[in-house]
Amino acid sequence: MRKAYLAAAALGAALALPGSPASAQTNEIVIGISISTTGPAAALGIPERNSLDFVPKEIGGVPLKVIVLDDGGDPTAATTNARRFVTESKADIIMGSSTTPPSIAVSTVANEAGIPHFGLAPFPINEARTKWSVDMPQSIPIMGKVLYEHMKAHGIKTVGYIGYSDSYGDLWFNDFKTQAVPMGLQMIDEERFARPDTSVAGQVLKLVAANPDAILVGASGTAAALPQTTLRERGYKGLIYQTHGAASMDFIRIAGTAAEGVIMASGPVMSPESQPDSALTKKPGLALNAAYEAKYGPNSRSQFAGHSYDAFEVLKRVIPVALKAGKPGTPEFREGIRQAFISEKEIVASQGVYNWTEKDRYGLDDRSRILLTVKDGKYVLAM
């Protein structure tokens, strides 16, 4: 009988990580997923969990056992979850997390244990995390470039920045220096805030006083709406740019009229209807959104749902290849997945077309991005 198991478990005590996972073969493929279904990043983690309703129950004739743990956006909890996947669940594949800091934690454990890992948030993949990790979301440089090009095309010269006071905020700040400054853009003020903060009034007052031509918000989830609304309340009239971490219907719901006119980088899953029929991302994007909105309501689509959904689209391609190398539960199978990440090309999903290499663990190109704005309370393509 074809079976898939979706289990939600509470966080437990930290477990010691052995040198390597167990090697006994099994009759099912175990997938451990650590995401943030509570806490400040729940607006990202809940759609990621919800999209699992629409992923395959088996691949290559082998049942999938999917285990979901909540990490609350906490890197320590994410580490504990990842270690549980290794020691208790004997996972073949690990996914997570919903935001950058816990994704780094999960990747570290996966690479120590030698288990293929899908990141579900943008995170830096250094040499220690290159072997076993790939990332599903678009890289910061890919999404940043389209925002900076829009700024240049609209005569913007000075930019203010407000972003998270963590590694996600750092990624965007550093990318601006790397890409935007050589393009002639100047950052004239930098402000930071913590994900749980309920006010950014002080930071916004400094930004407004600096009077930049535009402001870039380096935040994700519903918290990205906080600078957006505060800037408009304090009378800022310039363009506000949001990163792809904010691309969800929740952003419009929370920001309300303050969302009007925002310029936002996004994956194509937020508007597959606007894509030409030749776009490879159109069909999977329409399929996911139709299923998701049928269950969770009109306009409930989410970029974050696309990340976890697309991980299984990738698995449809790589698992049949890996099964030729070994049985689930064995090092040979896990190594087969790792090799298939780079041997399989043009892996089509709702958010892009993946072509990973040994060095490029993001694997996406310009087909993975669109530029949106909000008009009359709805996302439309930005010009």
Side-chain angles (χ1 to χ4, degrees):
M1 181 181 295
R2 297 181 179 181
K3 296 181 179 179
Y5 304 83
L6 185 61
L11 296 175
L15 300 170
L17 181 67
S20 63
S23 60
Q25 69 181 50
T26 66
N27 294 320
E28 59 190 3
I29 298 167
V30 181
I31 302 172
I33 305 177
S34 179
I35 50 178
S36 308
T37 55
T38 61
L44 287 66
I46 290 174
E48 289 168 346
R49 181 194 64 195
N50 290 347
S51 72
L52 300 177
D53 295 342
F54 317 114
V55 302
K57 311 306 180 190
E58 65 173 43
I59 297 176
V62 182
L64 306 183
K65 180 179 180 179
V66 180
I67 304 168
V68 179
L69 299 179
D70 174 29
D71 57 41
D74 176 31
T76 301
T79 298
T80 299
N81 288 351
R83 287 176 172 166
R84 290 183 65 175
F85 295 145
V86 175
T87 59
E88 294 182 3
S89 307
K90 308 297 188 277
D92 295 295
I93 299 155
I94 297 176
M95 298 182 187
S97 179
S98 305
T99 58
T100 300
S103 295
I104 294 172
V106 174
S107 175
T108 299
V109 174
N111 277 270
E112 288 174 358
I115 298 176
H117 165 240
F118 290 86
L120 301 180
F123 74 102
I125 303 179
N126 60 17
E127 185 176 348
R129 296 189 286 270
T130 298
K131 184 172 183 180
W132 293 96
S133 288
V134 296
D135 207 15
M136 297 307 299
Q138 302 84 347
S139 68
I140 303 299
I142 282 181
M143 298 307 248
K145 186 180 179 183
V146 73
L147 293 179
Y148 312 142
E149 288 174 343
H150 188 275
M151 292 178 187
K152 288 287 292 183
H154 288 77
I156 289 168
K157 296 181 179 179
T158 60
V159 180
Y161 178 72
I162 180 168
Y164 285 147
S165 54
D166 63 20
S167 49
Y168 185 80
D170 293 343
L171 285 171
W172 275 98
F173 177 75
N174 292 332
D175 186 69
F176 186 93
K177 291 191 296 183
T178 300
Q179 290 202 91
V181 171
M183 293 170 65
L185 297 168
Q186 179 185 3
M187 183 175 290
I188 62 173
D189 187 40
E190 175 201 357
E191 304 294 334
R192 298 298 186 102
F193 69 106
R195 291 174 185 265
D197 285 353
T198 57
S199 173
V200 292
Q203 297 95 317
V204 163
L205 286 173
K206 293 178 183 178
L207 284 167
V208 173
N211 194 30
D213 297 332
I215 291 174
L216 173 65
V217 180
S220 60
T222 55
L226 180 61
Q228 183 82 24
T229 55
T230 308
L231 282 163
R232 293 309 188 205
E233 289 169 355
R234 297 292 178 172
Y236 182 73
K237 303 296 184 183
L239 284 176
I240 301 175
Y241 289 81
Q242 291 275 354
T243 73
H244 57 310
S248 72
M249 299 306 298
D250 283 333
F251 177 84
I252 297 178
R253 176 179 59 82
I254 293 173
T257 57
E260 292 290 311
V262 68
I263 304 297
M264 183 179 293
S266 172
V269 75
M270 288 301 294
S271 185
E273 298 87 351
S274 66
Q275 299 174 62
D277 291 341
S278 59
L280 297 178
T281 52
K282 183 171 186 173
K283 184 176 179 179
L286 290 172
L288 171 59
N289 289 347
Y292 198 95
E293 294 184 350
K295 182 166 184 176
Y296 294 104
N299 296 320
S300 59
R301 66 183 61 182
S302 167
Q303 176 163 270
F304 312 109
H307 296 328
S308 51
Y309 178 85
D310 285 354
F312 285 83
E313 293 296 287
V314 172
L315 289 177
K316 290 179 184 178
R317 287 281 298 273
V318 302
I319 283 177
V321 176
L323 287 171
K324 298 175 183 178
K327 299 290 186 181
T330 65
E332 291 79 11
F333 178 67
R334 291 187 285 270
E335 174 65 16
I337 292 176
R338 189 185 76 81
Q339 292 290 343
F341 280 157
I342 58 177
S343 66
E344 294 298 296
K345 300 301 180 183
E346 292 289 282
I347 305 175
V348 177
S350 73
Q351 289 279 62
V353 182
Y354 293 89
N355 289 283
W356 288 298
T357 68
E358 287 283 9
K359 293 184 178 181
D360 180 7
R361 311 307 281 181
Y362 303 98
L364 292 172
D365 54 27
D366 290 354
R367 292 174 289 181
S368 69
R369 67 188 190 188
I370 59 175
L371 203 59
L372 299 175
T373 188
V374 175
K375 183 177 182 181
D376 300 326
K378 296 181 179 179
Y379 284 117
V380 298
L381 293 181
M383 303 300 292

